[in-house]
Amino acid sequence: MSVVTRFAPSPTGRLHVGNIRTALHNWLWARQNGGRFVLRIDDTDSERSEERFVEAIRADLDWLGMTPDGEERQSARFALYEARFAELVAAGRLYPAYETAQELELKRKILLGRGLPPVYDRAALALTPDDRAALEAEGVRPHWRFKLDHDAMIEWTDLIRGPQHFDPRTMSDPVVRRADGSWLYMLPSAIDDAEMGVTHVVRGEDHVSNTALQLQMFAALGADAPAFAHEALLVGSEGKLSKRLGSVGVDTFRESGIEPAAVRALLARIGTSDPVEPLTDAAPLIETFDFARFGRAPARFDESELAQVNSRIVHQLDFAEVADRLPAGMDAAAWLAIRPNLSVVAEAADWWHVVEGPIERSAAAEDRDYLARARAVAAEIDWAGDPWHTLTARLKDETGRRGRALFLPLRQALTGRDHGPDMAALLPLIGRERALARLTTD
Ligand code: GLU
């Protein structure tokens, strides 16, 4: 069986971290199995769908390194839905219903008031052709419901949640099409999953009861159902469904200097029994991906954890991967010297500025003689080797200074800062000329 997964966002907004995580899991599973990962744009709702969001979704997936192997759009497939609809109507699996929203709400309230589950009573099925003709003559247009097979218990083994059972008699026949002819999500999605040969549907656990209904739709369509994996939802670091998560997406990541690899490394593993590791490469994530390791508890997304993973990833990035984001003139040696001090790549520019200068220096009065001595030594040593070690070894011998007293005044004079990259790596970048100038006390 060749694996096909799909990521099916509605283009009514930007992707947020929750659906990025779902996309990632679909992508990882497809990659692990040498299968296809399809982007399906769920744009049946023409009012709320916008082209700019379609473009943003594509761009976001590209940035994340999860470019789809194919793209489909539901708005281009209406003829197919229409054909399947007609077949299901002819087979008696779809039926017209005429209740208004208010009538349905009243029925719900009555049932709930009696302590009964608010299941649709199928009153529309009792209408005679004459009743329907009369309603339509009055201008009432029907919506359409899918008739559940009450005798077929619904069961599947979810790849994450294990065995699932639903009794169709406890469920309302779902509305699949509105009175204005527009589609609700459920039937077109089942038709597409069947037609596109989708083998695995990976989505949030908020879809579990939809799956129960859709399994009967697959059967009614004469199609094999895909396997399902419903993942626990994502919550914020405080452990609650958070509004903020809905606005955290690729733009937020880019603005805060988060690398795509960090997003992948974190989102692949949170909520699973595998540890989050700062993996720059997707290969080990693909290799270790396993639905059996997903927990049932919500996955916690913590932005500070993402920042930590990110800095550990930045420390491993090769020059070639970041060259186009570095200031002009900064070469591979400079990158390697500066990299261990960065939490985001953009900070490299600050350190490069320290290398190139001008910098602000302030030498303590008691260090003036020491720095004058340092300048004299720096002027004599061989800069081709390891000038920092040569310089500090000689100063140690000559002045008897050690540790902080030996190193800190030099670091301050040479960089204008108390902390920073390893001076042995930084000093050759600063170079002899600039170093002598910075060690000059006036
Ligand atoms: N467009 C649906 C959603 O965003 C797709 C759900 C699914 O994956 O089937 O909820």
Side-chain angles (χ1 to χ4, degrees):
M1 174 183 66
S2 121
V3 165
V4 180
T5 65
R6 91 296 195 275
F7 172 52
S10 298
T12 54
R14 291 292 296 265
L15 298 183
H16 55 74
V17 58
N19 38 43
I20 289 171
R21 173 169 170 257
T22 301
L24 174 64
H25 296 157
N26 277 287
W27 180 79
L28 289 169
W29 181 246
R31 284 290 159 279
Q32 185 182 83
N33 292 282
R36 278 167 56 77
F37 166 67
V38 176
L39 171 62
R40 190 185 79 201
I41 302 292
D42 279 9
D43 58 351
T44 56
D45 184 341
S46 60
E47 304 242 303
R48 293 179 58 231
S49 299
E50 292 184 48
E51 202 53 33
R52 66 190 171 110
F53 292 131
V54 176
E55 280 155 24
I57 289 166
R58 287 188 199 122
D60 287 353
L61 291 177
D62 285 347
W63 185 81
L64 289 158
M66 309 191 300
T67 304
D69 303 308
E71 183 181 309
E72 300 286 352
R73 292 181 79 126
Q74 290 199 316
S75 59
R77 300 167 62 84
F78 286 133
L80 172 68
Y81 308 149
E82 209 62 70
R84 292 288 168 276
F85 177 80
E87 287 161 20
L88 292 173
V89 171
R93 293 306 298 272
L94 294 177
Y95 64 91
Y98 298 82
E99 292 93 342
T100 63
Q102 290 90 323
E103 284 167 338
L104 291 170
E105 189 48 32
L106 189 62
K107 288 187 191 211
R108 266 175 59 85
K109 283 204 174 127
I110 292 171
L111 289 170
L112 288 170
R114 291 191 197 139
L116 296 169
V119 177
Y120 176 61
D121 62 8
R122 291 186 159 177
L125 274 180
L127 296 175
T128 64
D130 285 349
D131 296 335
R132 287 202 291 267
L135 283 162
E136 290 188 22
E138 283 170 34
V140 185
R141 308 251 325 265
H143 54 274
W144 294 83
R145 288 188 185 263
F146 177 74
K147 189 177 165 202
L148 291 169
D149 178 352
H150 279 182
D151 297 324
M153 287 303 255
I154 303 168
E155 300 188 326
W156 80 93
T157 301
D158 195 275
L159 295 173
I160 294 173
R161 297 165 65 85
Q164 305 289 302
H165 306 272
F166 283 80
D167 181 346
R169 282 165 299 207
T170 66
M171 308 182 87
S172 295
D173 289 339
V175 176
V176 296
R177 199 169 187 183
R178 299 184 192 88
D180 66 2
S182 64
W183 298 99
L184 281 108
Y185 139 78
M186 219 152 354
L187 183 61
S189 180
I191 293 171
D192 286 342
D193 287 338
E195 297 276 336
M196 294 173 188
V198 169
T199 58
H200 295 80
V201 171
V202 184
R203 59 187 179 186
E205 67 182 7
D206 50 331
H207 281 288
V208 169
S209 60
N210 288 340
T211 296
L213 301 168
Q214 287 178 319
L215 283 172
Q216 285 217 350
M217 294 180 191
F218 285 110
L221 291 164
D224 289 335
F228 286 88
H230 290 94
E231 48 192 20
L233 298 182
L234 199 64
V235 294
S237 50
E238 64 296 339
K240 291 201 229 91
L241 279 176
S242 103
K243 233 181 162 181
R244 160 134 183 93
L245 290 191
S247 62
V248 174
V250 167
D251 277 353
T252 336
F253 298 145
R254 297 180 83 138
E255 275 157 27
S256 37
I258 301 294
E259 302 295 317
V263 178
R264 292 195 307 254
L266 184 76
L267 294 183
R269 296 276 179 87
I270 51 173
T272 78
S273 53
D274 286 323
V276 172
E277 296 168 286
L279 299 166
T280 52
D281 192 16
L285 296 174
I286 293 168
E287 219 168 279
T288 57
F289 183 79
D290 183 355
F291 290 117
R293 302 184 74 84
F294 279 68
R296 294 286 297 272
R300 271 179 197 237
F301 173 73
D302 182 343
E303 286 178 81
S304 63
E305 187 178 13
L306 179 61
Q308 273 173 35
V309 172
N310 191 63
S311 68
R312 293 169 67 195
I313 281 179
V314 168
H315 301 165
Q316 305 169 59
L317 294 177
D318 289 334
F319 176 66
E321 293 174 87
V322 295
D324 59 350
R325 291 187 279 157
L326 299 179
M330 194 171 159
D331 61 9
W335 171 247
L336 290 181
I338 287 169
R339 183 176 76 165
N341 264 74
L342 305 178
S343 46
V344 300
V345 171
E347 286 169 3
D350 301 340
W351 288 111
W352 187 241
H353 178 73
V354 166
V355 168
E356 292 207 301
I359 57 161
E360 297 255 343
R361 297 169 301 145
S362 61
E366 70 264 27
D367 289 324
R368 292 177 69 87
D369 292 347
Y370 173 57
L371 290 176
R373 190 64 217 134
R375 187 191 182 287
V377 174
E380 288 165 20
I381 60 170
D382 175 9
W383 279 74
D386 180 348
W388 176 251
H389 286 114
T390 316
L391 173 69
T392 52
R394 275 194 48 185
L395 287 170
K396 187 177 177 187
D397 283 351
E398 290 188 18
T399 66
R401 287 189 183 226
R402 294 163 51 189
R404 194 180 157 83
L406 175 70
F407 299 118
L408 187 61
L410 297 175
R411 178 182 283 283
Q412 285 169 334
L414 290 164
T415 69
R417 306 200 186 184
D418 294 348
H419 305 279
D422 180 8
M423 285 303 296
L426 209 55
L427 189 54
L429 302 174
I430 294 170
R432 184 175 189 276
E433 293 302 298
R434 284 185 294 233
L436 293 183
R438 292 177 193 185
L439 290 169
T440 302
T441 49
D442 29 45

